[in-house]
Amino acid sequence: DTGVSQDPRHKITKRGQNVTFRCDPISEHNRLYWYRQTLGQGPEFLTYFQNEAQLEKSRLLSDRFSAERPKGSFSTLEIQRTEQGDSAMYLCASSPGGSIGSTGELFFGEGSRLTVL
Amino acid sequence: AQKITQTQPGMFVQEKEAVTLDCTYDTSDPSYGLFWYKQPSSGEMIFLIYQGSYDQQNATEGRYSLNFQKARKSANLVISASQLGDSAMYFCAMREGGSGANSKLTFGKGITLSVRP
């Protein structure tokens, strides 16, 4: 399968612990996005990479959140000192970006569900 | 102001009938794209259909069509011949700027569709 993969699919942690999620995009895609989705809501944009450069961060991304894409391939999203309000589904998406004929469609992974107790 | 508005409560449709899911959007950018995604209970986001702001004709993809009314800033999704497997959350999303720009999508809150046998 060559789609977007995320790991872990589920994470339960205690408040105050750190968690890290990994995303492997579709291999030829140079753009990678992180979104957060809470129950009954639409996905909310967190941050975006083009290759290894982080080009945009949402105000939702507090200083406890950090994302990296060190070699322009996989990405990690780390949440430090987790709070109960961080409980959500964290979605990763990728796109080829900018290619002629591209619609800008995002290809999503299945998400990483975080529960903070 | 919200960029994407989906205000319908949960929608119900009889199997084999057509249903329209409403979406209005707000942007001052002359170049933009509109997307619909389906999210079944399993959680993955499935791309359904795309409409570019300069496209002259309404987009169609199989049983899905997009009723694009630019002056009204609406992009309603029409599903024909509903199937039980169409039961899911449906999200309308917008990309501002051309596809060569940052293709971050802004999502609405979604609409729940239930198909009755």
Side-chain angles (χ1 to χ4, degrees), chain A residues 31 33 35 56 102-103 106, chain B residues 37 95 101-105:
Chain A
R31 294 183 178 181
Y33 302 79
Y35 282 79
E56 187 175 347
S102 168
T103 64
L106 299 189
Chain B
Y37 281 82
R95 180 205 69 238
N102 169 12
S103 53
K104 173 184 76 177
L105 301 188

Side-chain angles (χ1 to χ4, degrees), chain B residues 77-116:
Chain B
L77 176 70
V78 180
I79 305 175
S80 63
S82 296
Q83 301 172 356
L84 296 178
D86 294 335
S87 295
M89 282 283 285
Y90 288 81
F91 293 97
C92 179
M94 177 173 65
R95 180 205 69 238
E96 292 178 284
S99 61
N102 169 12
S103 53
K104 173 184 76 177
L105 301 188
T106 301
F107 286 83
K109 293 186 175 182
I111 302 168
T112 301
L113 175 66
S114 299
V115 180
R116 291 171 168 154

Side-chain angles (χ1 to χ4, degrees), chain A residues 2-115:
Chain A
T2 56
V4 178
S5 63
Q6 293 188 244
D7 184 72
R9 294 290 311 282
H10 303 276
K11 178 73 176 178
I12 300 174
T13 191
K14 293 182 179 179
R15 188 178 54 172
Q17 298 294 304
N18 299 344
V19 296
T20 300
F21 300 113
R22 176 179 169 126
C23 172
D24 287 88
I26 294 171
S27 58
E28 59 268 28
H29 288 182
N30 59 9
R31 294 183 178 181
L32 187 147
Y33 302 79
W34 285 99
Y35 282 79
R36 181 174 70 186
Q37 186 179 22
T38 52
L39 200 61
Q41 300 296 314
E44 297 173 296
F45 171 76
L46 292 178
T47 190
Y48 148 66
F49 292 84
Q50 177 148 328
N51 300 312
E52 66 275 10
Q54 187 173 21
L55 297 187
E56 187 175 347
K57 293 196 296 185
S58 162
R59 286 172 296 176
L60 292 174
L61 213 65
S62 76
D63 55 7
R64 296 185 298 106
F65 287 70
S66 62
E68 293 182 342
R69 194 182 183 197
K71 297 182 179 179
S73 56
F74 73 92
S75 175
T76 57
L77 176 69
E78 181 183 17
I79 310 174
Q80 295 182 327
R81 304 181 304 281
T82 52
E83 302 172 357
Q84 288 182 326
D86 297 332
S87 295
M89 176 77 85
Y90 290 85
L91 294 166
C92 177
S94 68
S95 78
S99 56
I100 294 173
S102 168
T103 64
E105 171 196 347
L106 299 189
F107 297 78
F108 282 87
E110 293 182 317
S112 294
R113 182 169 296 285
L114 174 65
T115 302

Side-chain angles (χ1 to χ4, degrees), chain B residues 23-25 34 66-76:
Chain B
C23 172
T24 58
Y25 60 92
L34 296 158
L66 202 151
N67 184 0
F68 181 44
Q69 299 190 38
K70 196 169 183 176
R72 291 186 172 186
K73 293 189 173 179
S74 75
N76 298 340

Side-chain angles (χ1 to χ4, degrees), chain B residues 31-52:
Chain B
S31 179
Y32 54 89
L34 296 158
F35 302 77
W36 278 90
Y37 281 82
K38 171 185 177 181
Q39 188 177 44
S41 56
S42 52
E44 74 271 29
M45 295 284 284
I46 301 168
F47 167 73
L48 296 178
I49 196 166
Y50 167 81
Q51 179 85 43

